[in-house]
Every structure is written in C-alpha cells, then in structure tokens.
Amino acid sequence: MRKKIVAGNWKMHTCIEEGVILAAEINSKVKKEVSNQETGIIIAPPFTHLSIIGQIVDNERICIAAQNCSSEPKGAFTGEVSAKMLKSFGVKAVILGHSERRAYYVETNEILLKKVNLVLENDLKPIFCCGEKLEERESKNHFNVVKSQIEQVLFNLDVENFSKCIIAYEPVWAIGTGVTASSEQAQEMHLFIRNLIVEKFGKEISENITILYGGSCKPSNSKELFSKPDVDGGLIGGASLDADDFIAIINSF
Ligand code: PEP
C-alpha cells in the first residue's frame, strides 16, 4: 500500500527566527491535531534552516527535506550544497526538478538525472517534480511533456532505486498562481503517470509509488484533490507557510 504524504516547500521564505517559529508551530500542531499516524509529513525549509529545524521537530513524525542539491558529489563548486552534506545533518529527502529550478536555473533532464543518482547514492529520497506549462496544455501536449520528463530521468534508474522515489505532478500554470488543476485533471495525469510506470516496471511497483499533486493546493481544495484514487497527497508551496493551513491539508485524507 503506497504512502500518503503531504510535503511543504517553503521556497526562499522565512529568515531563521521565522522559520524556527513556523517549524515549532507545525511540530506542536502535528502532535495535537493530526491523529492519522500513517500520513507522511515532510517540510522543506531553505538550506540555511535545515540543521536547526531538524533539531526542533520530532524526526519520527516530520521528515526534513532540502529543496535542491548539487549535481556534483564534491569539489570546487562555489555556493553548492552536496547530497552527502545534506545527509550528514539528517535530511531525508530532496525536491528535484521543481519548475522554478527548471525555468530559472536551466535544470535539464540530464542534470536532474545526475542529481537523482547522487541523492539515491546518499540514501536520500528524491521528490521528483514534473509538469507542463500552460501553452503545452493548451496545445494538448501535456501528456508528452510529462512522459518525457519522467522517461528521461526516472526511467534510467533500476527498479530498486526507482521504487525509492516520490513523484510530484505540478502543472506549471498552477504553481503560485492561485489556479488549481481540477481534481479530474489531476487524477487524469496521475493515472497516466501510473500507467507509464506499469509499462516500464510492472503493476506492483506502480501501485506502490506515491504521486503527489502540487499547484495552489490549499485547505479549500485539498480534500477534493486527495479524494481521487491516484492522488496520494500534495506538494504544497504557499499554504505550507501557514501552520493552520498546512495542518488542515494534512488532515484532508
Ligand atoms: C510548489 O512550489 O511546489 C507549489 C506547489 O507552490 P504553490 O502551492 O504555492 O502553488
């Protein structure tokens, strides 16, 4: 049975004091207000906060993730943070291929494959983002775009490594825009992704992979989105910066 997960992507928000307060608030509300122990909870604060926040939250209940890592294992790469460094202070997962990184930092599928491999080599979980731009959906090319993002990166892995990945379908036109994919659009794409996995790795692997939806997911739409059979939770941007909203989304299953 695949895991239901809600993951918060804080992006480049909060200074350290604010981040510590937010993490402590989420931690205490998770304890008091989240009764379903089966739902996986992940928060991805900025790099600078990872160590301290890892010490604040209950690591049995809340996993700490990074928002990116270097495509190189180590060396003269000024300003970069390696997967091994992340592992060394308790990070458990890394968001890779977020559309903001693809767009502003020109992360190609080739670079992403290097990152995914390094993350896995360091025993971390990739949260691999894929999703089409508005014009790609309007030209009915959205399935092809998502297919090639997944094929060119994740389908290069062997089955053992592939089964450690979490996939996040995040239509670019829905991220940070307030426009959410309808639950039918999300379900349609999630099922499409699951069927791709059936073809490549077989039904059992496909049934066990968690596929998250991301893009303006909030308490007012999370229940409807998460009610769909192939939507296993969410990757949440804006709404993960408000502890009450984040908890309400976690409690939406
Ligand atoms: C994201 O950044 O992954 C995201 C889904 O953002 P938002 O929820 O703000 O649309």
Side-chain angles (χ1 to χ4, degrees):
M1 187 60 187
R2 58 185 177 260
K3 200 159 176 64
K4 307 278 188 196
I5 295 173
V6 175
N9 173 15
W10 292 12
K11 311 194 188 194
M12 197 170 70
H13 290 295
T14 71
C15 285
I16 194 78
E17 302 93 315
E18 297 159 331
V20 163
I21 291 169
L22 176 59
E25 211 182 339
I26 290 171
N27 191 53
S28 121
K29 284 179 187 286
V30 164
K31 264 192 201 128
K32 290 189 215 130
E33 298 171 26
V34 178
S35 55
N36 186 348
Q37 298 298 314
E38 298 306 311
T39 307
I41 303 169
I42 299 176
I43 55 175
F47 282 137
T48 45
H49 305 15
L50 290 171
S51 176
I52 181 113
I53 288 180
Q55 292 165 52
I56 290 172
V57 301
D58 173 3
N59 291 287
E60 298 290 307
R61 195 64 197 93
I62 301 176
C63 278
I64 303 297
Q67 298 171 21
N68 181 33
C69 72
S70 175
S71 58
E72 299 299 328
K74 66 175 179 180
F77 299 101
T78 303
E80 290 290 273
V81 176
S82 73
K84 190 172 182 183
M85 291 172 189
L86 296 173
K87 175 75 182 174
S88 74
F89 50 85
V91 165
K92 297 284 190 308
V94 185
I95 298 172
L96 293 173
H98 192 282
S99 63
E100 287 153 15
R101 295 215 54 91
R102 290 181 193 259
Y104 309 142
Y105 304 96
V106 200
E107 289 198 348
T108 59
N109 290 329
E110 203 180 7
I111 292 171
L112 287 171
L113 179 58
K114 286 170 82 177
K115 292 188 179 197
V116 166
N117 276 320
L118 283 168
V119 162
L120 288 163
E121 275 166 30
N122 284 283
D123 206 16
L124 297 165
K125 250 183 184 317
I127 303 173
F128 179 78
C129 304
C130 56
E132 80 286 356
K133 299 185 192 117
L134 184 58
E135 60 271 24
E136 292 164 339
R137 178 164 282 266
E138 283 174 347
S139 61
K140 306 208 180 325
N141 213 19
H142 46 302
F143 292 117
N144 285 337
V145 169
V146 169
K147 182 173 188 238
S148 82
Q149 289 169 338
I150 291 178
E151 279 181 350
Q152 288 181 35
V153 182
L154 297 185
F155 284 3
N156 285 298
L157 302 175
D158 62 24
V159 64
E160 197 190 326
N161 275 324
F162 177 80
S163 55
K164 293 175 187 159
C165 297
I166 296 167
I167 295 175
Y169 167 58
E170 298 208 303
V172 180
W173 47 272
I175 297 179
T177 57
V179 178
T180 316
S182 68
S183 56
E184 289 76 20
Q185 286 171 320
Q187 168 59 23
E188 185 184 38
M189 184 60 85
H190 284 225
L191 181 60
F192 173 77
I193 294 170
R194 212 174 290 289
N195 284 336
L196 288 178
I197 303 169
V198 173
E199 278 170 37
K200 174 75 182 170
F201 292 113
K203 193 154 176 60
E204 197 185 333
I205 299 293
S206 177
E207 283 301 319
N208 284 317
I209 286 281
T210 295
I211 307 178
L212 306 179
Y213 167 78
S216 299
C217 184
K218 42 191 179 262
S220 58
N221 57 32
S222 50
K223 254 200 172 74
E224 167 68 20
L225 284 159
F226 298 176
S227 71
K228 295 296 176 190
D230 289 287
V231 178
D232 306 317
L235 179 54
I236 318 298
S240 72
L241 294 167
D242 180 296
D244 286 325
D245 283 356
F246 191 54
I247 298 299
I249 295 170
I250 293 168
N251 282 330
S252 293
F253 292 105

